[in-house]
């Protein structure tokens, strides 16, 4: 069953069925409750994770407890993959947004399988390239978009990735994701809500008018 699930994950889909089965035998299932930390920044890094169900946020915290969210990963996604390339500590903190189930695979077990398969290594490099492109896009947004534009783009991107209009994010999560204060994000959300573009709940936001949100994204 685990090998069949891995066939839906691009990096593992490039492996042969016997290699996927071998990788599956070394994986360990773990569950995390909502808001539970998977690992902290600066923790030792030895495993990568495949998300079976749920959503996690990848964030960089500062000394005062504030954080900048750099990515959100969902079912079928992977995280912690930088551990595959060096022995450096974790570069970010990963926290479950909701109840999340993952499969953990050690660096040694992954490399033992992937080194026999150039196609899988190519997929892994493509994944890293997408991470770099995503980071570049975030920098562009921070420089060229105002807070309202960043909030609108954030919600559109997440809604599109999830394939649904209801997004499980608090206003604090949105503020961390767009690199703005909670006050300015609250103001932007209230303005968008008054326009009918979205509705804001306690721990969720519902996208109601995609076109109105898109009009807020002005570079």
């Amino acid at each position: 069953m685990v090998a069949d699930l891995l066939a839906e994950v691009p990096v593992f889909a490039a492996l042969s069925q016997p290699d996927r089965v071998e990788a599956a035998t070394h994986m360990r299932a773990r569950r995390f409750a909502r808001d539970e930390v998977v690992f902290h920044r600066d923790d030792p890094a030895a495993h990568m994770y495949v998300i079976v169900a749920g959503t996690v946020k990848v964030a960089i915290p500062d000394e005062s407890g504030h954080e900048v969210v750099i990515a959100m990963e969902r079912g079928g996604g992977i995280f912690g993959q930088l551990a595959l390339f060096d022995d450096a500590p974790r570069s970010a903190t990963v926290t479950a947004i909701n109840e999340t189930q993952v499969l953990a695979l050690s660096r040694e077990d992954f490399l033992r399988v992937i080194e026999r398969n150039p196609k899988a290594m190519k997929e892994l490099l493509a994944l890293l390239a997408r991470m770099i492109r995503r980071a570049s896009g975030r920098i562009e947004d921070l420089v060229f978009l105002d807070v309202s534009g960043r909030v609108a783009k954030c919600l559109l991107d997440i809604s599109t990735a999830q394939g649904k209009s209801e997004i499980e994010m608090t206003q604090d999560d949105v503020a961390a994701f767009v690199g703005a204060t909670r006050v300015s994000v609250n103001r932007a959300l209230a303005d968008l809500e008054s326009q009918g573009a979205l509705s804001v709940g306690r721990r969720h936001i519902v996208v109601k008018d995609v076109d109105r949100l898109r009009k807020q994204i002005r570079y």
Side-chain angles (χ1 to χ4, degrees):
M1 290 176 62
V2 173
D4 290 342
L5 184 149
L6 294 181
E8 304 299 320
V9 180
V11 171
F12 293 95
L15 297 173
S16 65
Q17 179 65 9
D19 283 342
R20 279 198 299 274
V21 171
E22 180 181 345
T25 60
H26 294 291
M27 287 183 150
R28 298 293 176 265
R30 297 187 63 187
R31 291 181 180 272
F32 297 92
R34 171 183 281 182
D35 298 329
E36 185 176 357
V37 174
V38 181
F39 55 74
H40 290 91
R41 184 183 186 183
D42 295 327
D43 281 352
H47 293 78
M48 63 163 291
Y49 298 85
V50 178
I51 303 174
V52 178
T55 305
V56 302
K57 67 176 179 180
V58 183
I60 299 177
D62 64 17
E63 295 180 355
S64 62
H66 299 100
E67 64 180 15
V68 174
V69 178
I70 58 176
M72 295 182 69
E73 301 291 349
R74 300 164 188 82
I78 69 174
F79 63 92
Q81 62 270 30
L82 291 182
L84 304 176
F85 294 94
D86 58 31
D87 295 320
R90 296 293 187 188
S91 59
T93 295
V94 174
T95 306
I97 295 291
N98 46 30
E99 186 174 343
T100 300
Q101 180 181 354
V102 303
L103 295 168
L105 183 64
S106 74
R107 178 176 185 266
E108 292 76 14
D109 289 329
F110 182 81
L111 291 179
R112 187 180 302 117
V113 173
I114 204 170
E115 284 173 352
R116 302 197 299 261
N117 196 309
K119 289 184 179 179
M121 182 61 75
K122 184 178 179 180
E123 280 292 339
L124 185 58
L125 293 174
L127 175 64
L128 294 176
R130 288 195 292 273
M131 290 176 60
I132 294 171
R133 289 180 185 275
R134 182 167 60 190
S136 298
R138 292 290 305 282
I139 293 171
E140 181 182 16
D141 292 345
L142 287 171
V143 172
F144 296 112
L145 290 178
D146 59 14
V147 172
S148 183
R150 298 204 301 273
V151 169
K153 189 172 187 295
C154 166
L155 298 177
L156 280 174
D157 288 347
I158 294 173
S159 175
T160 300
Q162 290 183 343
K164 59 181 182 180
S165 59
E166 184 171 333
I167 302 167
E168 290 189 67
M169 289 182 76
T170 67
Q171 296 182 40
D172 284 333
D173 290 334
V174 177
F177 204 93
V178 303
T181 65
R182 175 171 177 150
V183 172
S184 59
V185 167
N186 287 355
R187 191 179 302 119
L189 287 171
D191 182 53
L192 291 169
E193 189 169 32
S194 70
Q195 297 178 39
L198 51 82
S199 62
V200 181
R202 183 172 177 271
R203 293 185 64 98
H204 68 275
I205 298 169
V206 179
V207 174
K208 303 177 73 173
D209 192 328
V210 170
D211 290 335
R212 285 185 182 274
L213 286 181
R214 285 184 179 144
K215 289 179 181 178
Q216 297 293 322
I217 306 172
R218 296 184 291 268
Y219 287 96

